[in-house]
Amino acid sequence: MSEASSLIPVVVDGEHREVEPEVTGVQLFESDKNIIAVRINGQPRDLYTPLHAGDTVESIALDSEDGLAIMRHSATHVMAQAVQEIYPDAKLGIGPVIEDGFYYDFGVEHPFTPDDIKEIEKHMQRIIKSSQSFRRRTVTEAQAREEEAGQPYKLELIETAEDAINAGEDTAVSQGELSMYDNVDRDGTVVWTDLCHGPHLPNTRYIKAFKLQRAAAAYWRGDEKNPMLQRIYGTAWASKEDMKAYLQRLEEAAKRDHRKLGAEMDLFSFPDEIGPGLAVFHPKGAAIINAMKEYSRIQHRKNHYSFVQTPHITKGGLYETSGHLQWYRDGMYPPMHLDEERDTEGNIVREGFDYYLKPMNCPMHNLIFKSRQRSYRELPLRLFEFGTVYRYEKSGVVHGLTRVRGLTQDDSHIYCTREQMRDELKSLLSFVLDLLKDFGLNDFYLELSTKDEHKFVGSDEIWEEATDTLAQVAEESGLELVSDPGGAAFYGPKISVQARDALGRTWQMSTIQLDFNLPERFGLEYIAADGTRQRPVMIHRALFGAIERFFAILLEHYAGALPAWIAPVQVLGVPVADTSTEYLRGILDRLDESLVRCELDASDDRFGKKIRNASKSKVPFILIVGDEDRDNNAVSFRFRDGSQLNGVPADDAVAWINTAIESHAQISSAADFCAVTPAVQPAGIPAGSAQ
């Protein structure tokens, strides 16, 4: 047999090639040091994986999304190795990749301190410099149990993995088979081993830039019934420059943290007396909420929505009909058994009912639709409510205003015919995007969440029709569309609008869900033009999502410097001296009459301190008045960037402030202000420094 006939055919990055049998990615990509793994027939694999005839091979670069994930997962192994070399009795949990980083859970006697984290990081650096290679080997269940005999959490994972392997599913430590990864030193000595399905880097030197960030307590596998472990978080990047940029983004995000801003600006709090995830909004925070609601109400009225209101509590039977008690019970507060009556001997003479705090508004909106006979002439019927709902989030999941237990949804349910469905979805998506843009969010893409094969109601045909319709509407919007397989609610697929904020972070905003199932479960009907009874289509839509969460997103997006129209205080008056206080108060009273939110700094602080405090307050318009301004019936404007407009006639100032607020523009400077106020500015008003 000739040498050529012994070669095998493969496809490498789209190119048909013939290679030696058992060749690996190491040989194929020897000249490109940025290639750290391969995808063989669609599955990520190590570079050391041998190829077979007919394989399709795609290279994975270190700086690609998949490459970063592999590098970060390899960093978890290095971290776990360092921990066990420093703390030999440490028990290993799991070490997955997360957004922008990784973590590993450890069972240790004492919590990790900041000094411990520094020591572990230094030890990791020594391991990385030693160029240890990651080598995979498959093992049987018995072999895995023998090697992990002293590791109780790994033994639990092995048991779970065996069940998954038999069911044809993957786990954190298996992909059709159990495997171990050895960290091998340059001389061939195995220095450390972990149970893992991989893939990993060729060697530790490919971990170019990493940093351990913090330690925290975490329940094993996220279950409060399990032991508490210590979790170390870290991040890793393809270059030091990338990591530096990421850490700078983190620093900026910390400055913008809505919890920090909420305390500094006196907007909201979470009193211990009320409980976790249940916020109270202070006057300034409520001012923002009310501005958001008022604008939303106006836009909904313009788009022909009917406003409704429903209670916060209901009998459990309603959620049995909807399916929430079957599919969503863990996210609901426990029931309250009420209305039971007993006689003097304790015998039940009237059965009681289980009542639940409502987690969703849709079942109650269905009852409104069903309350009387409906005609096709009423459709589409658009019901809208600011409905407060309650969801029992675990304490470890609750996070500021972005994950709460009590939340208010700007919730809408649209009932329409099959023929109206597509046009209604198109106009609805346009309405959603336009309103979000009004709040200053402009960078969007769409996500299509499809059926969870293990958690759904209704027929496959209905799901297919609903999914195809949503996909067509999303594609026609012209926005990028990405898939979220299995991410739909149990009753129907959804489009979610994803928005990027000022830091480039992505937030899920509005959701639009197409539902053929709840109308069926509730027996909803309308009388069609031909006199027959027909089932309406139901569209679920939350525009802000949760008002509390949207509040937090806006606060971080603007770093607290909200546009004037939703700012908690729109105008702050600062008199230079007491002699001008009453004059300034009169101007603020005029603004107050037009519902501008004003404050006056009438404190005993010196003028310089008042200006410094005003600059920190993030108020869009600071009106400064001295005796000369008073005598000339004028004011001076100071803006967030420190620029000023001096000697503005008081009547113009009042009119311009109202115009600027109505514009919904973000105004941070004198130039911004002049751009949205009347084109003819009074002569002789220079931009200058403070008086």
Side-chain angles (χ1 to χ4, degrees), residues 227-521:
M228 183 75 78
L229 305 181
Q230 287 292 301
R231 176 173 295 175
I232 300 179
Y233 289 92
T235 188
W237 295 84
S239 70
K240 291 181 179 179
E241 292 75 18
D242 288 347
M243 189 171 77
K244 181 180 179 181
Y246 168 71
L247 294 176
Q248 288 174 340
R249 291 197 300 273
L250 283 187
E251 184 178 348
E252 180 60 29
K255 294 177 184 176
R256 293 170 179 252
D257 190 312
H258 71 277
R259 296 167 299 177
K260 176 176 177 287
L261 292 171
E264 292 174 354
M265 298 172 67
D266 191 22
L267 303 178
F268 60 86
S269 59
F270 291 90
D272 289 338
E273 295 87 341
I274 296 178
L278 299 167
V280 294
F281 286 88
H282 305 183
K284 291 180 181 178
I288 299 172
I289 294 285
N290 287 334
M292 292 164 56
K293 285 184 174 181
E294 286 166 12
Y295 187 69
S296 177
R297 284 192 182 99
I298 291 169
Q299 298 309 311
H300 280 87
R301 287 187 63 187
K302 288 180 178 179
N303 283 270
H304 311 296
Y305 282 78
S306 299
F307 287 46
V308 299
Q309 186 168 317
T310 60
H312 294 228
I313 187 172
T314 178
K315 292 178 181 178
L318 182 64
Y319 291 109
E320 289 178 358
T321 301
S322 68
H324 286 93
L325 278 178
Q326 178 183 0
W327 299 110
Y328 198 74
R329 185 188 297 268
D330 289 346
M332 297 170 64
Y333 271 86
M336 296 167 278
H337 194 72
L338 305 172
D339 297 339
E340 183 179 279
E341 294 183 6
R342 295 176 181 265
D343 60 22
T344 56
E345 297 179 356
N347 300 310
I348 297 175
V349 296
R350 180 183 174 185
E351 294 289 342
F353 299 95
D354 283 344
Y355 283 79
Y356 289 85
L357 291 172
K358 66 173 178 179
M360 308 286 182
N361 297 301
C362 41
M364 293 186 180
H365 290 191
N366 284 342
L367 296 183
I368 293 173
F369 183 95
K370 196 177 180 180
S371 63
R372 64 172 175 82
Q373 182 172 288
R374 301 285 177 179
S375 164
Y376 72 95
R377 294 185 177 88
E378 297 178 71
L379 306 183
L381 176 63
R382 305 179 183 101
L383 301 183
F384 174 79
E385 176 181 17
F386 285 115
T388 300
V389 298
Y390 303 89
R391 298 174 183 176
Y392 186 68
E393 302 282 7
K394 292 183 178 180
S395 57
V397 175
V398 169
H399 180 80
L401 293 176
T402 58
R403 198 72 179 263
V404 291
R405 289 179 171 178
L407 55 142
T408 302
Q409 294 181 316
D410 58 332
D411 215 359
S412 178
H413 295 93
I414 297 98
Y415 303 87
C416 62
T417 68
R418 272 282 213 298
E419 294 73 27
Q420 295 168 334
M421 172 178 68
R422 194 168 180 277
D423 287 341
E424 192 67 18
L425 287 168
K426 287 179 65 176
S427 65
L428 185 55
L429 181 57
S430 178
F431 174 47
V432 163
L433 292 172
D434 287 346
L435 197 141
L436 291 176
K437 290 174 184 176
D438 289 343
F439 282 89
L441 297 169
N442 296 290
D443 188 359
F444 305 113
Y445 68 92
L446 303 179
E447 188 172 80
L448 177 62
S449 299
T450 55
K451 180 174 66 178
D452 180 345
E453 295 292 346
H454 306 289
K455 188 178 180 181
F456 72 96
V457 294
S459 68
D460 291 338
E461 291 76 18
I462 284 177
W463 273 87
E464 184 176 351
E465 180 183 354
T467 303
D468 288 347
T469 302
L470 281 178
Q472 291 171 14
V473 169
E475 289 166 358
E476 289 174 8
S477 74
L479 294 174
E480 177 189 1
L481 179 63
V482 300
S483 179
D484 174 31
F490 65 88
Y491 47 79
K494 70 178 179 182
I495 293 173
S496 58
V497 178
Q498 309 285 329
R500 298 180 182 92
D501 68 8
L503 295 182
R505 299 172 301 182
T506 299
W507 300 91
Q508 178 177 298
M509 307 301 295
S510 310
T511 57
I512 301 172
Q513 296 171 291
L514 189 54
D515 183 1
F516 296 153
N517 290 300
L518 285 189
E520 182 76 29
R521 294 174 75 93

Side-chain angles (χ1 to χ4, degrees), residues 96-136:
V97 172
I98 56 176
E99 185 177 4
D100 295 331
F102 57 88
Y103 71 77
Y104 209 114
D105 289 340
F106 302 97
V108 288
E109 187 175 353
H110 302 291
F112 293 115
T113 67
D115 286 341
D116 294 335
I117 299 300
K118 291 179 182 177
E119 183 182 5
I120 294 166
E121 188 175 280
K122 288 181 180 178
H123 200 88
M124 289 177 66
Q125 290 168 346
R126 290 195 290 271
I127 294 171
I128 289 169
K129 289 178 181 178
S130 68
S131 294
Q132 295 177 11
S133 61
F134 297 90
R135 296 302 183 113
R136 182 179 185 268

Side-chain angles (χ1 to χ4, degrees), residues 141-262:
E141 179 184 0
Q143 289 171 329
R145 287 185 177 279
E146 181 180 356
E147 292 195 44
E148 300 287 9
Q151 295 291 329
Y153 305 114
K154 294 295 185 182
L155 291 173
E156 185 176 326
L157 292 173
I158 292 168
E159 183 174 347
T160 303
E162 281 302 306
D163 294 337
I165 290 170
N166 293 332
E169 299 172 353
D170 294 337
T171 72
V173 297
S174 66
Q175 281 186 323
E177 58 188 1
L178 285 169
S179 59
M180 307 291 293
Y181 268 86
D182 297 328
N183 283 27
V184 181
D185 219 336
R186 289 178 177 178
D187 63 3
T189 303
V190 175
V191 293
W192 188 77
T193 297
D194 197 8
L195 180 71
C196 179
H197 71 56
H200 282 285
L201 299 169
N203 65 67
T204 56
R205 281 275 187 177
Y206 283 87
I207 302 174
K208 303 294 186 181
F210 81 97
K211 182 175 181 58
L212 299 189
Q213 295 167 294
R214 61 188 175 92
Y219 290 105
W220 168 234
R221 305 185 88 169
D223 192 331
E224 295 179 6
K225 298 176 184 177
N226 287 336
M228 183 75 78
L229 305 181
Q230 287 292 301
R231 176 173 295 175
I232 300 179
Y233 289 92
T235 188
W237 295 84
S239 70
K240 291 181 179 179
E241 292 75 18
D242 288 347
M243 189 171 77
K244 181 180 179 181
Y246 168 71
L247 294 176
Q248 288 174 340
R249 291 197 300 273
L250 283 187
E251 184 178 348
E252 180 60 29
K255 294 177 184 176
R256 293 170 179 252
D257 190 312
H258 71 277
R259 296 167 299 177
K260 176 176 177 287
L261 292 171

